[in-house]
Amino acid sequence: MAGKLILIVDDEAPIREMIAIALEMADYDCLEAENAQDAHALIVDRRPDLVLLDWMLPGTSGIELARRLKRDELTRALPLIMLTAKGEEDNKILGLEVGADDYITKPFSPRELVARLKAVLRRTTPGGGDGPIEVNGLVLDPLGHRVTIDGRPTEMGPTEYRLLQFFMTHQERAYTRGQLLDQVWGGNVYVEERTVDVHIRRLRKALGTRHENLVQTVRGTGYRFSTKG
C-alpha cells in the first residue's frame, strides 16, 4: 500500500501536519486541504486513493462533502475515513450511513490512524490495487508502468497510458468526453473535449488491430472499454 496518495482534509493546520508526518513515515504521499471546496478540486484533479475527512469544516461540512462524493458516480468508490471530535454513537452512524468506510474519533494516535487507513485500503482496493490487469493478452502493469501485448512491450504516450489504465479499471461503462477529461487530465486543467478523440485514436493505434476494438465509441455519449461487441 506504500506510495498511495492520501488527501487530508482538516481546517486545523497542526492536525494536518501531524497526520502528514505519520503518513509520510509510513511511505504514503499526502495532499492537504483546509476546506471542502479545495478538497473537492484536489479530488477531481489529483485523484487520491483515500480521503481523511474532518467532520467539522468551515462552510461546507465534511459530512456534506462526503454526501456529494458518494452521489457522483466518478467519486462514489473513493474510500473515506471520517475524522471528528464527535464521539456520540448517532454521529458515527450518520458518518457511516453517508458512505464513510471508517470513523476515527479525535484524539487518536498516529499509529492507530495508519493501521485503520491500511485496513480500509485493503478492503477497498480491488486485488490490492497494484497488480497487473489483463484482458485478452493485453496486460497493464501499474507498478512497472508498462503495457504488454502477448508478452511484447507496447509503446504509448503518458496520456494514452493513463487513458488505458482508467479504462481497464472501469470496464463496461460508458464515459462522456467531459468525464474522461476530469478523470485522466484532471478537472482543473483546461483541455478541449475533442482532444479526447485525438488520444483515443492514438491509444487504438498503440493497441493494434487485435485490441483496438476494446475501446468502443458510444454514439451520443463518448467511449467505453469493453470485451463485448
Side-chain angles (χ1 to χ4, degrees):
M1 292 298 169
K4 294 287 187 182
L5 183 61
I6 311 299
L7 172 60
I8 306 162
V9 189
D10 196 300
D11 60 325
E12 297 184 53
I15 291 178
R16 293 198 309 271
E17 184 179 10
M18 179 270 289
I19 293 172
I21 290 171
L23 294 182
E24 287 166 0
M25 287 179 66
D27 291 329
Y28 292 98
D29 296 319
C30 296
L31 298 169
E32 297 182 27
E34 62 181 1
N35 57 56
Q37 289 74 23
D38 291 348
H40 191 265
L42 283 170
I43 288 166
V44 172
D45 190 40
R46 299 291 302 276
R47 299 183 297 283
D49 297 292
L50 182 144
V51 177
L52 294 169
L53 179 60
D54 187 41
W55 182 295
M56 299 296 290
L57 293 172
T60 304
S61 69
I63 205 77
E64 284 301 318
L65 176 59
R67 286 195 180 102
R68 179 181 180 184
L69 294 173
K70 294 303 178 180
R71 281 196 301 264
D72 188 334
E73 284 190 10
L74 294 176
T75 53
R76 186 174 296 159
L78 177 63
L80 293 175
I81 296 178
M82 298 297 297
L83 305 175
T84 181
K86 294 176 179 291
E88 296 86 353
E89 193 68 24
D90 58 342
N91 286 322
K92 291 185 180 182
I93 292 170
L94 179 58
L96 295 172
E97 281 181 346
V98 299
D101 296 279
D102 202 354
Y103 188 106
I104 303 178
T105 304
K106 299 174 183 176
F108 51 81
S109 73
R111 193 172 173 183
E112 176 196 7
L113 175 67
V114 171
R116 300 274 282 274
L117 183 145
K118 285 181 178 177
V120 168
L121 284 173
R122 278 196 299 269
R123 290 201 309 268
T124 57
T125 306
D130 293 330
I133 310 164
E134 191 272 336
V135 176
N136 296 345
L138 170 66
V139 178
L140 183 142
D141 177 8
L143 286 179
H145 204 80
R146 61 170 62 92
V147 177
T148 58
I149 295 177
D150 298 328
R152 293 188 296 275
T154 300
E155 294 297 324
M156 63 178 64
T159 302
E160 288 73 48
Y161 177 88
R162 293 198 305 272
L163 257 178
L164 181 62
Q165 184 173 32
F166 178 75
F167 276 138
M168 292 184 76
T169 53
H170 299 79
Q171 297 181 35
E172 307 297 341
R173 273 189 47 194
Y175 290 91
T176 66
R177 290 167 178 82
Q179 288 172 327
L180 291 171
L181 283 174
D182 283 345
Q183 292 297 310
V184 177
W185 280 261
N188 293 341
V189 177
Y190 179 73
V191 181
E192 292 186 2
E193 289 195 355
R194 62 184 176 184
T195 301
V196 175
D197 300 329
V198 173
H199 288 281
I200 289 287
R201 285 198 297 272
R202 291 178 183 170
L203 175 58
R204 285 172 172 159
K205 184 176 180 181
L207 293 177
T209 54
R210 186 178 154 209
H211 293 91
E212 64 180 356
N213 291 333
L214 291 171
V215 182
Q216 301 171 358
T217 300
V218 182
R219 291 191 180 281
T221 303
Y223 299 97
R224 71 167 163 249
F225 187 94
S226 176
T227 57
K228 303 168 187 174

